[in-house]
């Protein structure tokens, strides 16, 4: 039996950050991983997807500027794009991540780990063996989520893509059906459409990116349609099959054929086979935690859960944020130090409830943080939405001819601070951190007037939003 201060289940970005912070606090840490060290983001999500998308947006940027537009004489080099993608995914080899983990003083245990009661993890190793780890202070579950597939008849026979196949494919399908209208669906429709696929999007709802401001989905849909993507709203797939092609049957009886189909229909926590039942939790469900990362309903306070697996904010950067904080919590509790649990203290995760930043890397990009107008209203805030056409900002007109975009700030009228900000347009992702600081720090509108944007840059949108608010 092996004993450590902390045992971490999952070596993705969340688990790595939590383990590193606990180790920096003087604790011994074992990290259990059944797949590749580095996790979903490194090999099947953030890195390969953005590597697929960047050539398309770079080409789009060039085509939006006179002089550069005339120099663009061809399409994307598919082989070069896929090769670059493979490089960013480290060719699905985790040697570099393993080296980092070892240099950080962490012990890697390869295999599938399951809880076996209090502070005990049993690992089925790759060679068929069994290794039991015990934790003196904490076990942290950082296993993330997995793609969710709907219960459609014969779906397995269609061999559907999930986000993993969509980001890792070594070929461009002639025809690609994308089921869903969220972030993954929009990004992959953008990427594979730019690489030459004939793409049809089958969206059950009435708009894309339904959890964001309505204009975000509208502008992205407009761009996809202009780029040749067939976007269909209010449709549901009820059956799927494959012979020499994929055939999808819609609720009204219509059929759609394609060479491949991507189901981007959500994610579920990867907790079904972790032994949660041995500690009184429900397998397959997210692990509810308090602001310090402790699992709710588990006696003794030894079980933690960080990242997507706890359902608070399903984004890599938020998981890393939680990992840093919860790893510090574990170290501080182990050392008997008093915790800093003030509203923005170092031992509590609050940004994943109040100020979650997110970028959708479509063309145009969508960047948002905090609450939408609808969310703020539903939570009972007295608010005003301040909108501005990004194309009217001097820096944006220099960035691209006929720049199309929009910005919205959601203002708390009682406190005169920002509750949320959304930007849509080419190149807006790099505006997001300024908005995140404004929302997180609750910077008063009166103080923002003294944060002077450089001219002529797109960041001048801040001045225009303030002027519009003042009227």
């Amino acid at each position: 039996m092996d004993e450590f201060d902390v045992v971490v289940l999952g070596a993705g970005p969340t688990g790595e950050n939590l383990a590193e912070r606990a180790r920096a606090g003087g604790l011994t840490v074992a990290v259990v991983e059944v797949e590749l060290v580095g996790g979903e983001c490194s090999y099947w999500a953030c890195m390969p997807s953005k590597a697929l998308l960047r050539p398309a947006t770079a080409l789009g940027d060039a085509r939006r500027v006179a002089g550069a537009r005339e120099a663009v004489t061809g399409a994307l080099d598919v082989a070069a794009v896929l090769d670059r993608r493979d490089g960013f995914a480290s060719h699905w080899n985790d040697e570099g991540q393993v080296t980092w983990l070892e240099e950080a003083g962490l012990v890697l245990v390869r295999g599938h780990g399951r809880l076996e009661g209090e502070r005990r993890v049993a690992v089925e190793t790759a060679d068929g063996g069994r290794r039991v780890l015990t934790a003196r202070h904490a076990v942290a579950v950082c296993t993330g989520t997995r793609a969710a597939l709907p219960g459609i008849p014969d779906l397995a026979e269609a061999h559907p893509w999930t986000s993993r196949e969509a980001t890792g494919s070594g070929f461009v399908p002639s025809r690609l059906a994308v089921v869903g209208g969220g972030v993954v669906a929009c990004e992959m429709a953008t990427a594979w459409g730019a690489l030459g696929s004939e793409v049809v999007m089958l969206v059950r709802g009435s708009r894309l990116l339904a959890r964001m401001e309505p204009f975000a989905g509208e502008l992205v849909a407009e761009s996809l349609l202009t780029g040749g993507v067939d976007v269909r709203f209010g449709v549901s797939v009820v059956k799927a099959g494959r012979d020499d092609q994929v055939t999808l049957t819609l609720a009204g009886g219509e059929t759609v054929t394609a060479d491949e189909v991507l189901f981007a229909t959500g994610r579920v926590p990867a907790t079904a086979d972790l032994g949660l039942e041995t500690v009184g939790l429900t397998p397959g469900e997210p692990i509810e935690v308090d602001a310090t990362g402790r699992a709710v309903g588990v006696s003794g306070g030894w079980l933690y859960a960080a990242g997507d697996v706890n359902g608070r904010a399903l984004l890599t950067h938020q998981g890393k944020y939680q990992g840093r904080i919860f790893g510090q919590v574990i170290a501080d509790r182990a050392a008997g130090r008093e915790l800093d649990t003030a509203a923005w203290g170092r031992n509590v995760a609050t940004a994943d409830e109040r100020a979650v930043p997110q970028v959708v890397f479509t063309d145009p990009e969508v960047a948002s943080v905090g609450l939408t107008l609808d969310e703020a209203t539903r939570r009972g805030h007295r608010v005003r939405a301040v909108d501005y056409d990004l194309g009217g900002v001097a820096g944006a007109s220099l960035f691209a001819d006929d720049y199309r975009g929009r910005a919205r700030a959601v203002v708390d009228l009682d406190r005169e601070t920002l509750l949320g900000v959304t930007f849509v347009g080419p190149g807006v992702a790099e505006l997001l951190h300024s908005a995140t600081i404004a929302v997180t720090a609750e910077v008063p509108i009166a103080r923002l007037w003294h944060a002077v944007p450089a001219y002529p840059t797109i960041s001048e949108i801040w001045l225009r939003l303030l002027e519009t608010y003042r009227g």
Side-chain angles (χ1 to χ4, degrees):
M1 185 179 293
D2 298 318
E3 190 172 50
F4 298 87
D5 292 321
V6 182
V7 176
V8 178
L9 292 175
T14 298
E16 288 178 330
N17 273 267
L18 189 149
E20 190 276 334
R21 190 57 59 95
R23 179 69 185 124
L27 303 181
T28 59
V29 183
V31 181
V32 181
E33 177 55 60
V34 69
E35 292 189 300
L36 296 176
V37 175
E40 198 79 15
C41 178
S42 299
Y43 308 103
W44 302 289
C46 321
M47 298 306 289
S49 67
K50 277 52 187 182
L52 285 174
L53 286 157
R54 178 55 189 153
T57 55
L59 188 61
D61 287 343
R63 286 174 171 164
R64 282 186 283 264
V65 180
R69 181 185 306 124
E70 289 73 17
V72 178
T73 58
L76 292 172
D77 183 321
V78 171
V81 171
L82 297 184
D83 184 61
R84 183 172 185 266
R85 183 274 316 271
D86 293 353
F88 275 99
S90 301
H91 299 277
W92 293 274
N93 183 305
D94 65 358
E95 290 180 2
Q97 294 276 5
V98 171
T99 298
W100 173 87
L101 191 142
E102 292 172 345
E103 290 177 347
L106 306 170
V107 176
L108 174 63
V109 179
R110 289 198 183 268
H112 180 75
R114 293 183 184 85
L115 293 169
E116 283 192 345
E118 185 172 341
R119 294 185 173 86
R120 180 181 170 101
V121 175
V123 182
E124 295 178 8
T125 60
D127 60 4
R130 174 181 164 88
R131 185 173 175 182
V132 177
L133 312 177
T134 59
R136 283 183 284 268
H137 296 292
V139 174
V141 180
C142 305
T143 50
T145 58
R146 59 176 179 79
L149 290 172
I152 294 173
D154 303 323
L155 181 57
E157 296 177 11
H159 304 296
W161 281 6
T162 66
S163 54
R164 285 196 170 193
E165 290 78 18
T167 59
S169 176
F171 66 94
V172 178
S174 297
R175 298 169 301 165
L176 174 65
V178 177
V179 181
V183 175
V184 172
C186 290
E187 289 188 346
M188 291 299 94
T190 299
W192 291 108
L195 287 169
S197 290
E198 180 182 316
V199 180
V200 56
M201 292 186 73
L202 305 173
V203 186
R204 185 171 57 183
S206 60
R207 62 186 175 95
L208 301 180
L209 304 174
R211 296 183 179 180
M212 308 185 89
E213 296 286 8
F215 64 84
E218 291 166 6
L219 288 169
V220 171
E222 179 184 299
S223 177
L224 287 168
L225 288 164
T226 300
V229 175
D230 180 4
V231 185
R232 305 184 192 180
F233 294 103
V235 296
S236 297
V237 178
V238 296
K239 188 176 180 181
R242 181 192 289 264
D243 39 42
D244 58 339
Q245 63 184 7
V246 175
T247 300
L248 304 174
T249 304
L250 307 184
E254 180 185 358
T255 60
V256 174
T257 58
D259 297 291
E260 301 293 342
V261 57
L262 163 62
F263 275 83
T265 48
R267 301 188 67 82
V268 294
T271 60
D273 191 20
L274 291 182
L276 293 187
E277 68 280 0
T278 70
V279 296
L281 299 179
T282 304
E285 296 294 320
I287 300 173
E288 183 184 354
V289 298
D290 64 19
T292 67
R294 273 179 166 168
V296 175
V298 177
S299 62
W302 57 273
L303 185 65
Y304 291 75
D308 289 7
V309 76
N310 64 32
R312 289 167 67 106
L314 275 63
L315 295 161
T316 296
H317 45 274
Q318 293 298 132
K320 293 168 70 174
Y321 160 75
Q322 290 179 13
R324 292 190 296 269
I325 289 178
F326 299 162
Q328 186 65 56
V329 166
I330 292 168
D332 287 346
R333 281 184 169 140
R337 290 188 286 267
E338 183 178 352
L339 297 189
D340 175 11
T341 56
W344 294 102
R346 77 170 187 166
N347 294 127
V348 292
T350 48
D352 53 14
E353 293 181 335
R354 302 192 198 181
V356 176
Q358 180 175 12
V359 178
V360 186
F361 291 88
T362 44
D363 187 10
E365 293 174 338
V366 180
S368 69
V369 62
L371 304 181
T372 64
L373 175 62
D374 181 62
E375 288 172 329
T377 302
R378 284 190 284 104
R379 293 191 187 191
H381 296 285
R382 194 171 67 90
V383 294
R384 175 186 166 194
V386 182
D387 294 330
Y388 199 86
D389 178 2
L390 264 168
V393 175
S397 63
L398 286 167
F399 187 90
D401 300 337
D402 301 317
Y403 188 104
R404 285 183 53 75
R406 186 172 172 186
R408 168 172 288 178
V410 179
V411 181
D412 183 327
L413 293 174
D414 294 319
R415 303 181 64 210
E416 286 217 312
T417 58
L418 300 180
L419 292 174
V421 181
T422 298
F423 304 111
V424 182
V428 298
E430 299 304 332
L431 293 176
L432 186 56
H433 196 56
S434 59
T436 302
I437 292 170
V439 172
T440 302
E442 301 174 338
V443 180
I445 295 289
R447 182 63 59 85
L448 284 175
W449 278 101
H450 299 282
V452 182
Y455 180 87
T457 66
I458 303 177
S459 62
E460 195 182 5
I461 183 60
W462 283 106
L463 177 59
R464 302 300 168 224
L465 288 170
L466 293 171
E467 290 174 339
T468 304
Y469 176 68
R470 184 172 64 179

